[in-house]
Amino acid sequence: MPGATSMTTAEAIYEAGRRLFLRDGYATTTVRAIAAEAGINPALVIRHYGSKEALFLATMTPTNGFTPILEGPLESLGEALVEFVINTAGTPGSDTFQALIMAADRPDVRERILSASREFFEQGLAERLSGDDRELRARLVSAQVSGLMLSYWVLKDPVLTRSDRRRMVALAGRALQRLITP
């Protein structure tokens, strides 16, 4: 267990909080548990981060793995997005997404998720689309990809996780593609 002596107190809190939030979720993780994991007094968690929610938001920063895919050819983007979701299950990015989704009842967390979706996904895609309703279509693609991430990464839907990956990529990719290139 890393303690405040091997790193700064703020770093120890950050690492302990991240580990516990990923393992136990926001609701179950307590300030006392974070402090115990970091080997410090619980008051130091609040002194350094202000609140458990602020620490959670600091440690659960969404990553943007979608940029390279979104910059690829539009005519095959639907399948590329589905393949990305399937291939990145169990990675640190999927763990962060799961932790954020499980805490989405918190207004600041919900805003973080929406902001990341707009920044990492929707804006760039909407700019590349042609035709009517570009922003709406980009948001619908984002919503469908998020739903797939939820079902595949968080809920681990047994029908999806056991299905033939190529067939799933083809079916779900085709549905997304209708929004991308109607």
Side-chain angles (χ1 to χ4, degrees):
M1 167 171 71
T5 57
S6 63
M7 58 180 77
T8 70
T9 301
E11 290 170 337
I13 294 166
Y14 181 95
E15 292 300 323
R18 181 160 176 76
R19 269 192 309 279
L20 293 176
F21 290 137
L22 287 173
R23 188 186 76 201
D24 302 333
Y26 177 81
T28 307
T29 300
T30 65
V31 170
R32 287 186 188 281
I34 294 166
E37 180 82 6
I40 58 153
N41 184 300
L44 291 173
V45 174
I46 303 305
R47 180 184 299 160
H48 282 278
Y49 286 93
S51 68
K52 180 176 97 166
E53 185 170 342
L55 175 60
F56 179 79
L57 290 170
T59 61
M60 295 297 118
T61 303
T63 57
N64 186 6
F66 284 104
T67 296
I69 291 113
L70 292 171
E71 292 174 348
L74 282 178
E75 55 275 351
S76 59
L77 184 56
E79 286 189 1
L81 288 168
V82 176
E83 193 166 10
F84 175 80
V85 170
I86 291 169
N87 290 336
T88 55
T91 65
S94 69
D95 292 346
T96 300
F97 176 82
Q98 178 173 341
L100 286 165
I101 290 301
M102 299 304 286
D105 62 325
R106 316 270 321 158
D108 288 349
V109 174
R110 190 171 40 254
E111 184 49 43
R112 168 70 57 86
I113 295 167
L114 290 170
S115 173
S117 181
R118 285 189 298 269
E119 177 186 348
F120 296 156
F121 199 95
E122 297 158 10
Q123 290 172 344
L125 179 58
E127 291 170 3
R128 294 192 63 208
L129 298 179
S130 61
D132 296 333
D133 300 318
R134 293 175 3 187
E135 182 180 355
L136 175 60
R137 290 177 18 234
R139 285 185 182 239
L140 287 168
V141 169
S142 176
Q144 288 189 21
V145 170
S146 296
L148 180 59
M149 290 162 56
L150 173 68
S151 295
Y152 200 80
W153 291 354
V154 179
L155 302 175
K156 297 174 181 26
D157 181 310
V159 172
L160 296 179
T161 58
R162 288 192 305 249
S163 291
D164 178 74
R165 288 178 172 214
R166 286 178 293 179
R167 183 73 178 137
M168 192 164 48
V169 167
L171 286 171
R174 200 173 319 136
L176 285 172
Q177 198 64 43
R178 290 189 60 175
L179 290 167
I180 296 165
T181 54

